[in-house]
Amino acid sequence: MSSHSPSRKPRVAVVFGGRSSEHAISVVTAGAVLSALDRDAYEVMPIGITSEGRWALAADDPARMAIEERKLPSADELAESDTGAVVLPLGPDSREVVHTEPGAVPKALGEVDVVFPVLHGPYGEDGTLQGLLDLAGVPYVGSGVLASAVGMDKEYMKRTFTSFGLPVGPYVTVRPREWAADPGAARQRIADFAQEHGWPVFVKPARAGSSFGITKVDGPDALDEAIAEAHRHDPKIIVEALLRGREIECGVLEFEDGPRASVPAEIPPVSAHDFYDFEAKYIDSASGIVPAPLSEEETARVRELAVAAFEALSCEGLARADFFLCEDGRFVINEVNTMPGFTPISMYPRMWEETGVGYPELVDRLVQSALRRSTGLR
């Protein structure tokens, strides 16, 4: 439970930005969360992590956090000072957050009762920030270290699903050491995989979010360029077979009595974009169909699988599970996002809206669920 005195409202630090390529989307999400947090119930403290990794106190100004005419916002622009840094307590005795400026006395900003991290990708969604918050003894929204780390690594996520009996598609991984030792052999392994499962294949960074660095490869000639592109984001790459079928997503949210699944959504094929990439997701906001046009049996099955995937990774708070409904009627799990896109037009909030949980209630439930949680092992 939170240690705040009953005389004041719980203070929620919304942490956003970060060093990953998804910096701007994180800022947009923070604006939406700040707008939705009930100021009668909570005090808020926006903390932006700049693209260099500096923690800065940010203006509580959701309007400046939106995408304006295709221009993406940044935490660097929202920082209240160019030099100051926000420091979390590194010990569970105090939750006092301190602001330091060079040459000035550190200023206490007050205790933080819960952190709402809305960072996507490495250094935010991958367990590193979660570990920092665990060390500080501050409760936070969303999954812990293990689920965040496994949920960020497409290879280990698939291995975990498989060990729990959940269906995954064919894939092959190329690790950094293997590539460094013998690129030719690694390339041949990918070509053999494609020969067996058929072109096209998708070459992806193993640990990047939001469709960055992904290439659809139609034949062996385009392989080198695709591998180089994936390597720009991650030294470990994963190659997946094309699964022919429909893309179905399902939201999972932790309630008092455990995780429940939302109504599913379908992501229709995007004509202007070869697959559901960053531009399709965030700038053009590819409109998913909510609820997905599925039979009752299919809907029940995908909701059941979504909760099973949430439990398999030991997720907490929230997650979005993404599936392919293959032509033979099987659902295959593609991935779980432990911090799914969370702007009001994102699929996760839209699916919950359709299920009867509106955006402000969704934000409130996540904060309440984090406040109920103990810190440390659980």
Side-chain angles (χ1 to χ4, degrees):
M1 282 303 287
S2 164
S3 62
H4 67 270
S5 60
S7 57
R8 69 171 181 81
K9 299 181 275 202
R11 188 174 286 124
V12 182
V14 177
V15 179
F16 62 93
R19 289 192 279 161
S20 90
S21 40
E22 299 172 74
H23 180 98
I25 296 312
S26 174
V27 180
V28 174
T29 304
V33 169
L34 286 166
S35 300
L37 276 167
D38 179 2
R39 302 311 158 95
D40 294 336
Y42 305 108
E43 285 182 27
V44 301
M45 184 189 290
I47 298 174
I49 302 179
T50 67
S51 36
E52 270 70 61
R54 178 171 68 93
W55 289 49
L57 211 53
D60 182 7
D61 188 356
R64 285 175 59 201
M65 297 179 174
I67 296 177
E68 289 288 330
E69 294 167 0
R70 295 176 88 87
K71 184 188 172 300
L72 299 171
S74 87
D76 305 55
E77 290 166 8
L78 291 155
E80 294 201 325
S81 126
D82 292 338
T83 51
V86 170
V87 184
L88 280 179
L90 275 186
D93 310 331
S94 154
R95 292 186 184 164
E96 194 82 56
V97 171
V98 173
H99 189 253
T100 61
E101 282 278 0
V105 177
K107 189 172 84 193
L109 299 174
E111 286 202 349
V112 163
D113 300 297
V114 64
V115 169
F116 199 133
V118 291
L119 297 124
H120 300 293
Y123 311 116
E125 194 183 347
D126 59 354
T128 48
L129 178 73
Q130 290 72 15
L132 179 70
L133 296 171
D134 282 342
L135 286 174
V138 181
Y140 50 90
V141 168
S143 287
V145 173
L146 178 83
S148 300
V150 176
M152 195 79 235
D153 187 308
K154 292 180 169 67
E155 178 198 0
Y156 284 100
M157 181 173 11
K158 288 178 195 292
R159 287 178 180 272
T160 304
F161 290 149
T162 303
S163 70
F164 277 86
L166 295 167
V168 304
Y171 68 97
V172 63
T173 311
V174 178
R175 294 160 183 273
R177 218 174 271 147
E178 183 191 351
W179 182 256
D182 191 344
R187 199 181 288 114
Q188 189 54 51
R189 214 155 63 78
I190 297 173
D192 293 347
F193 172 83
Q195 216 49 56
E196 183 187 346
H197 295 285
W199 300 91
V201 295
F202 288 95
V203 177
K204 306 180 173 186
R207 295 163 294 198
S210 252
S211 320
F212 282 106
I214 298 180
T215 311
K216 182 180 175 192
V217 183
D218 292 315
D221 298 348
L223 209 47
D224 280 9
E225 201 180 319
I227 292 168
E229 171 60 22
H231 274 151
R232 287 197 8 238
H233 297 270
D234 190 341
K236 178 164 93 161
I237 64 170
I238 189 166
V239 180
E240 296 174 355
L242 171 71
L243 290 174
R244 295 187 192 279
R246 298 159 62 188
E247 281 190 58
I248 307 293
E249 300 187 343
C250 195
V252 182
L253 178 64
E254 212 172 313
F255 285 75
E256 288 80 357
D257 60 355
R260 297 184 205 167
S262 70
V263 300
E266 177 164 7
I267 307 297
V270 187
S271 49
H273 305 270
D274 217 11
F275 56 97
Y276 196 35
D277 66 359
F278 179 79
E279 284 264 321
K281 267 185 193 169
Y282 295 115
I283 307 283
D284 301 343
S285 167
S287 44
I289 303 160
V290 192
L294 299 170
S295 71
E296 266 179 52
E297 291 77 13
E298 287 168 337
T299 298
R301 175 79 183 128
V302 77
R303 291 175 88 161
E304 183 191 331
L305 282 169
V307 171
F310 185 90
E311 298 283 35
L313 295 190
S314 301
C315 294
E316 292 172 282
L318 74 163
R320 193 191 72 229
D322 300 351
F323 299 87
F324 290 104
L325 174 50
C326 299
E327 289 166 346
D328 60 6
R330 280 183 321 133
F331 277 107
V332 170
I333 184 156
N334 183 34
E335 63 176 341
V336 158
N337 259 294
T338 54
M339 187 47 75
F342 205 82
T343 67
I345 62 162
S346 300
M347 295 313 301
Y348 183 85
R350 285 183 55 200
M351 289 187 284
W352 277 109
E353 179 88 49
E354 184 67 30
T355 315
V357 180
Y359 195 85
E361 188 194 336
L362 193 55
V363 168
D364 188 61
R365 276 194 173 279
L366 288 168
V367 172
Q368 287 301 324
S369 140
L371 283 168
R372 279 198 303 275
R373 214 185 282 169
S374 62
T375 54
L377 290 177
R378 49 183 182 271

